[in-house]
Amino acid sequence: MKVTFVADKPASSGCAVIPVKKSLKTAGAASDYVGESNGQFKKAAKAANFNGEKGKSFSIFAPAGSEASRLVAVGIGDGKEFDSELFGAKIAKSLMMGESAITLHLGGMDVSPDAAARAAVGMRLAAYRFDKYRTKLPANKKPVLKTIKIACDEPAKARASYNKYHGPVCDGTVLARDLVNEPPNVIYPKAYAARIKELETLGLKVQILGEKRMKSLGMNSLLCVGQGSVRESQMVIITWNGGKKGDKPACIVGKGVTFDTGGISLKPGANMWDMKGDMGGSAAVVGAMAGLAARKAKANVVGIVGLVENMPDGNAVLPGDIITSMSGQTIEVQNTDAEGRLVLADCLHYASTKIKPKAMINLATLTGAILVALGTERAGVFSNNDKLAGQIANASETTKEKTWRLPIGPEYDRLLDSPNADMKNIGGRLAGSITAAQFLQRFVGKGIPWAHIDVAGTAMKPSNRHDPRETTFGTGFGARLLNRWIADNFEG
Ligand code: BES
Ligand code: MN
Ligand code: ZN
């Protein structure tokens, strides 16, 4: 997709989109179109029973006096709470099948350069498709949109905002979506690690640990999850040093179960294919790291992803097995389907002891229970630190990747006690998302501000989605949130 920012003048070709307020009020170039149309606009609006109501639209083909091939008027009501990103997304969604070039006019309506840049992001996210394996898709089902022009008041500033921040961050979200959408026979641990290795071209350092290396480090908790799979488990450490030398890094950690059958505690068959998305947390981390590097973020950040495939097999970990994690703590694996926490346990301990971050956030499609609690609208946040939780709430507010904080505490932690080992990996029927968070917290180093974001409801979405920015199963949720968190708190 080609994205440019231009001065707000009537377009010389293609499809022009103009926002129209109630009573047909317009501003900037939109007013020029209306003026030049010799009353044609008002007549057409009347015929379409359009008065600038929010969400309504109508179009005129080749309006007299303008060089655009088509003019689309989109109602924005009273114009208050105008969300440029959502506006761009809705426009791309409705026009991308028929228009190859769209000029979106946002002049004269108090849209900041940042908001103008985000209009382009909304359009890109709404135009995202994952059609690479569809060989028989008819031409009229393929988007033809190739060029986006944002016509605004301060195009140079908007362009700078897009090139320096929103564009590369959006690239990261697209990467995260691609990774989640890819099938499990394409994105399995080694193939996934190889894909991450390719990101070194962006200036990232990528270190891959195989099973041998992890064994010698004592990562039996992560390894036991992949032990029933013929595919070798991997841990990938991605480093971006854009900050001051010697400055302690922030750390982001992701669950990368490339397929979760449940293992011996096998999941039911219906919808099991969804579990190709059980690496959504790691995809957000990888997408975020790519975004940080592409925009040359002035911060030191380490991304860690644990990549495994959870399979039933003669060699698989059994319910009842007791394993010793890298931290030395022993775990009774009562349910092999509670595998994400086993993977993250060693990742979090590795991060705590080897990276010693100043703050650490992990993302994981960890529990079905978070869907019961929050649905697919918000991810659950669990944290040992109010300041960090506040930072996440702020980043969440600006990126519209919505979250909600839930409690943790010793009274929940007790539910993990086991008579046979230091802990068991399930807490029982109640408070399932919280006990999962308690489990993770046991592997976080003392004094490290930490948060766990359960993205089981937001990283993969059902087909009845309503947000025009989310077009496929993989949403890329988290990549933008993490970039915002770093930008707001670590880039001075
Ligand atoms: N990957 C699943 C969680 C999940 C469920 C993600 C639905 C997305 C959609 C996780 O590994 C899992 O199986 N969790 C179990 C935990 C239970 C055994 C304590 C769950 O939620 O049922
Ligand atoms: Mn599971
Ligand atoms: Zn899982």
Side-chain angles (χ1 to χ4, degrees):
M1 194 76 71
K2 188 165 176 269
V3 177
T4 56
F5 295 85
V6 298
D8 185 38
K9 293 197 194 101
S12 54
S13 66
C15 172
V17 175
I18 57 169
V20 179
K21 283 193 200 171
K22 271 214 192 106
S23 314
L24 302 187
K25 269 197 219 118
T26 51
S31 297
D32 298 340
Y33 280 113
V34 174
E36 284 165 13
S37 78
N38 292 325
Q40 199 192 347
F41 176 85
K42 288 210 165 111
K43 265 192 217 154
K46 197 161 180 231
N49 194 23
F50 173 94
N51 197 29
E53 298 89 346
K54 196 170 179 174
K56 275 188 86 171
S57 66
F58 80 99
S59 61
I60 321 178
F61 291 91
S66 118
E67 290 172 65
S69 59
R70 183 180 175 198
L71 185 67
V72 179
V74 181
I76 57 167
D78 59 12
K80 283 183 193 134
E81 289 176 20
F82 177 71
D83 183 334
S84 62
E85 194 182 305
L86 207 52
F87 187 70
K90 283 181 184 156
I91 283 158
K93 186 180 176 181
S94 61
L95 298 176
M96 70 184 162
M97 293 300 179
E99 301 289 348
S100 61
I102 296 176
T103 303
L104 181 55
H105 292 278
L106 297 174
M109 46 185 284
D110 280 329
V111 171
S112 68
D114 178 79
R118 282 190 291 110
V121 171
M123 292 182 79
R124 281 187 61 193
L125 293 178
Y128 173 83
R129 283 293 178 278
F130 188 75
D131 290 338
K132 63 189 277 200
Y133 299 109
R134 301 191 60 175
T135 66
K136 298 198 160 80
L137 199 66
N140 66 355
K141 291 263 168 65
K142 286 184 194 160
V144 295
L145 182 61
K146 295 269 168 336
T147 311
I148 294 170
K149 276 189 197 165
I150 307 293
C152 54
D153 293 332
E154 297 176 285
K157 282 191 187 164
R159 187 181 306 125
S161 165
Y162 183 82
N163 289 339
K164 285 193 185 138
Y165 190 85
H166 293 289
V169 172
C170 186
D171 292 342
T173 297
V174 167
L175 171 61
R177 288 181 175 188
D178 282 343
L179 290 168
V180 173
N181 287 326
E182 284 287 358
N185 60 330
V186 172
I187 290 293
Y188 50 89
K190 265 198 157 167
Y192 192 179
R195 277 283 264 273
I196 300 171
K197 188 80 182 169
E198 288 171 12
L199 299 177
E200 287 194 329
T201 56
L202 293 172
L204 293 162
K205 211 185 94 203
V206 175
Q207 187 194 358
I208 300 172
L209 311 186
E211 287 187 354
K212 213 172 139 202
R213 181 87 185 91
M214 286 192 279
K215 183 90 206 144
S216 73
L217 285 164
M219 295 184 167
N220 302 308
S221 185
L222 183 152
L223 287 168
C224 83
V225 177
Q227 99 193 16
S229 168
V230 293
R231 291 172 160 147
E232 186 181 339
S233 301
Q234 311 269 286
M235 182 166 146
V236 185
I237 300 129
I238 315 162
T239 307
W240 172 250
N241 284 324
K244 286 197 203 84
K245 235 190 152 154
D247 220 7
K248 266 205 205 175
C251 191
I252 53 183
V253 178
K255 168 180 172 181
V257 176
T258 61
F259 198 83
D260 181 13
T261 64
I264 296 298
S265 313
L266 191 63
K267 286 183 181 298
N271 294 319
M272 201 206 270
W273 69 272
D274 272 1
M275 285 301 124
K276 73 170 184 175
D278 207 18
M279 31 60 73
S282 69
V285 167
V286 173
M289 293 306 297
L292 290 167
R295 68 181 181 82
K296 305 207 160 36
K298 289 188 175 53
N300 297 335
V301 185
V302 177
I304 296 180
V305 292
L307 312 180
V308 302
E309 187 183 69
N310 186 20
M311 291 286 279
D313 177 75
N315 193 43
V317 67
L318 298 178
D321 280 0
I322 294 175
I323 52 113
T324 303
S325 68
M326 185 187 180
S327 73
Q329 299 179 89
T330 58
I331 304 162
E332 180 179 12
V333 179
Q334 286 195 345
N335 189 321
T336 66
D337 197 12
E339 84 299 338
R341 60 196 78 181
L342 297 172
V343 173
L344 288 171
D346 282 339
C347 292
L348 291 170
H349 180 77
Y350 180 93
S352 299
T353 54
K354 306 273 184 197
I355 312 292
K356 302 187 178 69
K358 53 182 165 196
M360 173 159 81
I361 298 181
N362 74 258
L363 275 79
T365 50
L366 205 62
T367 64
I370 203 69
L371 275 135
V372 177
L374 300 173
T376 57
E377 297 306 317
R378 288 173 188 263
V381 174
F382 305 83
S383 182
N384 63 2
N385 184 288
D386 290 347
K387 195 173 134 203
L388 175 57
Q391 292 170 351
I392 293 171
N394 288 337
S396 184
E397 185 63 37
T398 31
T399 57
K400 301 286 187 311
E401 290 190 330
K402 291 187 206 153
T403 58
W404 196 258
R405 191 179 184 186
L406 293 163
I408 51 174
E411 56 286 9
Y412 293 109
D413 193 63
R414 273 191 16 222
L415 299 172
L416 294 169
D417 291 344
S418 157
N420 305 313
D422 296 341
M423 70 194 87
K424 50 188 181 174
N425 75 331
I426 50 173
R429 204 170 65 81
L430 304 177
S433 299
I434 300 177
T435 51
Q438 295 297 160
F439 185 93
L440 299 183
Q441 194 185 12
R442 291 185 179 212
F443 299 88
V444 174
K446 264 211 175 66
I448 301 176
W450 157 81
H452 152 54
I453 308 184
D454 194 334
V455 295
T458 51
M460 24 180 165
K461 284 239 173 165
S463 48
N464 61 343
R465 71 197 85 253
H466 57 268
D467 189 318
R469 285 165 292 200
E470 291 174 346
T471 55
T472 60
F473 172 73
T475 62
F477 184 99
R480 293 210 281 165
L481 179 77
L482 290 171
N483 261 285
R484 197 69 254 168
W485 177 62
I486 299 288
D488 289 347
N489 301 289
F490 302 100
E491 294 183 47

